[in-house]
Amino acid sequence: MRYTIETLTFDLAGDICLAAEGGSLVIAELPRSHADALGPLLELRHVRPEVVVDQNWLTTTSYATLLMNMTLSQACWYEPTLGRQGFISIAKLRNDALAWPDFMIRAKRAAQNAGFSDDYAGKLAAAIGEFYSNVIEHSQNLNSGYIVFCAKNRMFEFVVADAGIGVLNSLRSNPRFANLGDSGRALELALSEGVTRHTDPDRGNGFRPLFVGLANISRFIRFRSDDHSRELIRADDGTITALTRQVSKLSGFFCSVLCEAVGSTYP
């Protein structure tokens, strides 16, 4: 366990989760840290909520109100002044026909106000919609799902997650992948062309089209399911580095996407 990191990164969050999983975590001994990004904070909350809620070691100033409303089990919440942050539960989306178009409008507006062009803001909103559709189709625990976004200077970050059956068990429902035994390989396959849980070749394309749609603006995409992560990191020259790692156990599916505005100027 490392005690010198002051920014909550995915690596630090992973170390904390592994320590908790192994029974060696002492929350009082965690280094004082600050949550600068949405993804690591919500992933830690998803895996080990007790480490995040009402704990003094972690400063969450930028996300304090968001976390409070999520913890209070609100169905949805949007930052009332600038609209830079928001979240909604899948249960709310299923029960309110107007909730989804409202969420999409708010997310797109937040991206535009952060410096994204109308075209790219629309693509971001569409990508969130595709992730939402995948949760609906594969989770088998829909009411556990949620979507969160945060926009700031030329950056837009969103998280889509649930506590469902996970990617491995979803793919196993297809006889072609019935003997698949590794969640890391399952994540890699889910990001491959045409791989899906469905036996009908004309139904479902996995997560690959989502990644392609975000290729020009996504800076970092992290998929988590079961005990593996899959990261896709885009360099300034457009090259993409992919990395699969074994990590702590996570129930269901968690995806964090960080995008950077291009071809526009932040006001």
Side-chain angles (χ1 to χ4, degrees), residues 9 18 24 33 60 76 79 94 121 143 150 174 208-209 225 229:
T9 63
L18 283 172
S24 62
S33 303
T60 60
C76 67
E79 185 184 38
R94 295 177 68 207
N143 287 341
C150 177
N174 184 330
R208 180 67 180 176
S225 188
S229 67

Side-chain angles (χ1 to χ4, degrees), residues 251-265:
S251 296
F253 171 77
F254 184 98
C255 180
S256 173
V257 179
L258 176 64
C259 294
E260 182 178 24
V262 294
S264 58
T265 303

